[in-house]
């Protein structure tokens, strides 16, 4: 196309603060570009973490909604192979490739009312693959529970048009079996919701920290809230996993007992939750003493 | 089951084994309320439910505190066939709903006083 604008993706894009900064820069460059035709070009890219396809897919959705035509191109063999196996490139007319190593959780978009389809996705594509690493039934249940708390949170708080999900299994990351999953929505950011609700002026990372605390919620009306993110976070701490939340200009990360809060110069127009589960975990999660449901109210 | 009792099977009503969405929780809340209004004792049956979230339970059960007291709920709502590993979620949701509605009542009273000056 004559007036198409080529925007180059960085040589390495990983699920780290600088990787997210780069993805925001890609969005801002494309958004501000006068041309209506954008190419995200991977010519110089040698490493792109597959789960970040959810972030790039969400960015493409937003740009498309702004009237831009977006394509992806210039991928070398290795990148193209990964992005065809995880089905991201199918969004741009490429054929899907069979995931022979069974390490991909396919890039998929969901409408907010497609809870049942999301459930099937988690059941069939995440935890039930024939070659998927063995994990205890309790761990599988807790993982699904956490993912649904996140999905419901994105749906009800973000008020988004679509939810983008993509995952990757790493058999030997830090000598532990790990599963990364990214869930992205381009709805209202946590910073907007929290500051709007409290009438405050918190930074993005402060607003995320507020939203993660037990009992804190921006919900009003007759349905209480403030538990979903806390439950996910408490599980990840025990599971020795990792959580990154990026929303507006805020970055919040929990990893190996440490919280990192940073702010970006740019702003992400939605929320990314990147969660890493430790599949080598053998904890038993529900032996917290006998709980009686008689007179529980 | 005596005549004043009615059983609501969650899995049958939501059409699956995952009680995860606020909408499904709202539907169950509506059924419980209808049966309470008809003077029934409700037995809520969770058999066949594999995944539960607080989002579902907040809507289905937590929301009951907007209309009923702890005493009323303990007398008129029974939970059966809840998996042991899910019981902690019920405990958390109930505790949170009690806090939420206690604060909401205080908030509504202060707002009312501020508006009406009484």
């Amino acid at each position: 196309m004559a007036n198409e604008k080529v925007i180059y993706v960085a040589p390495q894009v990983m699920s780290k603060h600088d990787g997210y900064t780069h993805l925001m820069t890609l969005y801002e460059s494309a958004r501000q570009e006068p041309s209506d035709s954008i190419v995200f070009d991977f010519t110089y890219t040698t490493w792109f973490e597959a789960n970040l396809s959810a972030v790039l897919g969400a960015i493409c959705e937003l740009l498309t909604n702004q009237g831009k035509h977006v394509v992806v191109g210039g991928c070398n063999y290795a990148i193209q192979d990964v992005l065809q196996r995880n089905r991201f490139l199918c969004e741009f007319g490429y054929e899907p490739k069979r995931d022979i190593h069974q390490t991909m959780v396919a890039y998929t978009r969901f409408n907010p009312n497609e809870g049942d389809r999301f459930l099937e996705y988690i059941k069939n594509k995440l935890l039930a693959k024939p070659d998927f690493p063995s994990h205890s039934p309790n761990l599988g249940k807790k993982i699904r529970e956490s993912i649904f708390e996140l999905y419901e949170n994105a749906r009800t708080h973000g008020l988004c048009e679509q939810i983008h999900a993509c995952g990757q299994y790493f058999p030997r990351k830090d000598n532990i079996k790990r599963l990364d999953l990214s869930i992205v929505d381009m709805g209202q950011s946590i910073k907007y919701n929290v500051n709007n609700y409290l009438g405050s002026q918190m930074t993005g990372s402060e607003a995320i920290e507020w939203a993660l605390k037990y009992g804190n919620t921006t919900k009003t009306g007759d349905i209480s809230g403030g538990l979903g993110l806390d439950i996910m976070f408490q599980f990840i701490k025990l599971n020795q996993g990792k959580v990154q939340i990026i929303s507006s200009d805020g970055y919040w990360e929990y990893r190996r007992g440490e919280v990192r809060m940073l702010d970006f110069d740019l702003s992400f127009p939605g929320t990314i939750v990147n969660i890493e589960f430790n599949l080598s975990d053998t904890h038993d999660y529900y032996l917290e003493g006998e709980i009686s449901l008689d007179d529980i109210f | 089951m005596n005549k004043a009792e009615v059983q609501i099977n969650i899995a049958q009503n939501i059409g699956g084994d995952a009680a995860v969405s606020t909408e499904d929780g709202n539907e169950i809340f509506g059924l419980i309320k209808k049966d309470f209004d008809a003077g029934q004792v409700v037995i809520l049956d969770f058999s066949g439910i594999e995944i539960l979230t607080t989002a579902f339970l907040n809507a289905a059960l937590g929301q009951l505190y907007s209309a009923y007291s702890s005493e009323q709920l303990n007398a008129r709502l029974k939970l059966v066939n809840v998996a042991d590993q899910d019981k902690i979620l019920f405990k958390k949701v109930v505790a949170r709903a009690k806090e939420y509605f206690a604060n909401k009542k205080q908030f509504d009273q202060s707002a009312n006083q501020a508006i009406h000056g009484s």
Side-chain angles (χ1 to χ4, degrees):
Chain A
M1 214 175 283
N3 65 342
E4 71 182 17
K5 172 67 181 176
V6 176
I7 297 173
Y8 289 101
V9 179
Q12 294 202 332
V13 189
M14 293 190 273
S15 311
K16 295 181 177 176
H17 184 269
D18 60 354
Y20 296 115
T21 301
H22 177 64
L23 289 163
M24 288 182 201
T25 308
L26 290 182
Y27 170 67
E28 275 305 315
S29 305
R31 188 179 70 85
Q32 290 174 22
E33 175 54 46
S35 170
D36 287 341
S37 183
I38 305 293
V39 181
F40 286 130
D41 190 307
F42 280 74
T43 299
Y44 302 113
T45 310
T46 52
W47 186 262
F48 184 86
E49 278 186 6
N51 52 294
L52 295 177
S53 300
V55 184
L56 194 54
I59 287 172
C60 292
E61 177 207 344
L62 200 56
L63 291 168
T64 304
N65 290 347
Q66 292 164 12
K68 296 196 184 282
H69 176 72
V70 186
V71 295
V72 168
C75 301
N76 64 31
Y77 176 80
I79 297 277
Q80 186 171 323
D81 180 58
V82 168
L83 299 184
Q84 275 182 290
R85 281 194 286 124
N86 83 354
R87 310 291 169 102
F88 177 67
L89 285 178
C90 301
E91 299 287 315
F92 304 95
Y94 289 74
E95 289 294 315
K97 263 191 174 179
R98 199 163 70 88
D99 180 21
I100 47 170
H101 307 299
Q102 295 278 315
T103 55
M104 300 292 178
V105 182
Y107 167 71
T108 311
R109 293 188 284 168
F110 301 90
N111 292 325
N113 59 359
E114 290 185 306
D116 289 345
R117 199 173 138 243
F118 186 76
L119 181 70
E120 287 306 309
Y121 173 78
I122 297 305
K123 265 186 175 174
N124 300 334
K125 298 209 167 146
L126 196 71
L127 298 168
K129 287 185 166 191
D131 296 333
F132 210 76
S134 60
H135 54 271
S136 75
N138 295 340
L139 179 61
K141 184 175 161 67
K142 291 298 288 184
I143 289 175
R144 280 188 285 170
E145 206 177 273
S146 293
I147 292 170
F148 262 95
E149 295 284 5
L150 291 174
Y151 178 79
E152 198 60 15
N153 214 59
R155 218 170 63 82
T156 53
H157 290 286
L159 303 172
C160 55
E161 287 182 24
Q162 291 201 307
I163 291 164
H164 301 252
C166 191
Q168 168 94 37
Y169 162 59
F170 299 96
R172 284 182 296 277
K173 196 173 184 178
D174 305 329
N175 291 319
I176 293 171
K177 294 183 288 190
R178 292 191 179 273
L179 168 72
D180 282 17
L181 180 75
S182 299
I183 298 175
V184 185
D185 76 80
M186 296 305 234
Q188 290 170 356
S189 70
I190 294 173
K191 181 182 179 180
Y192 172 84
N193 281 338
V194 170
N195 282 332
N196 194 38
Y197 175 78
L198 295 175
S200 55
Q201 296 287 324
M202 288 189 200
T203 65
S205 56
E206 286 168 349
I208 296 167
E209 172 130 300
W210 184 90
L212 277 163
K213 285 201 178 127
Y214 168 87
N216 282 351
T217 181
T218 57
K219 273 189 191 171
T220 53
D222 283 342
I223 301 181
S224 48
L227 287 173
L229 290 179
D230 178 65
I231 279 180
M232 176 277 295
F233 181 44
Q234 296 306 326
F235 166 63
I236 285 296
K237 280 205 274 192
L238 289 171
N239 177 249
Q240 295 182 303
K242 183 175 91 176
V243 186
Q244 294 169 321
I245 302 178
I246 295 92
S247 192
S248 185
D249 60 355
Y251 177 88
W252 188 98
E253 177 187 281
Y254 171 87
R255 184 170 182 256
R256 292 181 186 166
E258 282 186 25
V259 171
R260 277 177 79 210
M261 288 167 64
L262 295 163
D263 289 295
F264 295 102
D265 292 333
L266 292 170
S267 184
F268 185 76
T271 300
I272 304 164
V273 179
N274 185 43
I275 190 161
E276 187 169 276
F277 298 104
N278 167 12
L279 293 174
S280 304
D281 183 5
T282 53
H283 278 99
D284 199 339
Y285 282 95
Y286 60 86
L287 297 176
E288 297 187 28
E290 194 68 26
I291 295 171
S292 168
L293 295 184
D294 298 335
D295 295 328
I296 190 166
F297 298 105
Chain B
M1 207 185 327
N2 68 43
K3 275 184 183 173
E5 287 180 351
V6 62
Q7 187 150 335
I8 299 173
N9 181 289
I10 304 287
Q12 277 173 11
N13 276 283
I14 65 173
D17 61 6
V20 294
S21 76
T22 304
E23 286 83 352
D24 282 345
N26 265 329
E27 193 185 317
I28 299 300
F29 167 76
L31 292 175
I32 297 169
K33 198 164 182 306
K34 199 172 132 209
D35 290 330
F36 277 0
D37 289 347
Q40 308 269 38
V41 166
V42 175
I43 298 171
L44 212 50
D45 183 357
F46 286 83
S47 56
I49 292 296
E50 276 196 24
I51 314 174
L52 263 175
T53 62
T54 60
F56 173 86
L57 291 175
N58 283 332
L61 300 184
Q63 197 173 182
L64 291 165
Y65 285 89
S66 65
Y68 306 98
S69 66
S70 287
E71 291 72 27
Q72 288 170 313
L73 293 173
N74 277 324
R76 298 179 65 186
L77 184 60
K78 309 289 171 204
L79 309 173
V80 296
N81 296 319
V82 174
D84 281 346
Q85 60 266 42
D86 289 334
K87 287 180 178 172
I88 186 72
L89 287 181
F90 287 76
K91 200 175 161 188
K92 286 185 177 188
V93 163
V94 166
R96 176 66 197 130
K98 284 181 184 175
E99 284 171 13
Y100 179 79
F101 284 101
N103 290 338
K104 192 170 184 289
K105 204 172 163 190
Q106 271 185 343
F107 177 82
D108 288 347
Q109 272 171 356
S110 349
N112 205 34
Q113 280 170 6
I115 292 164
H116 300 291
S118 58

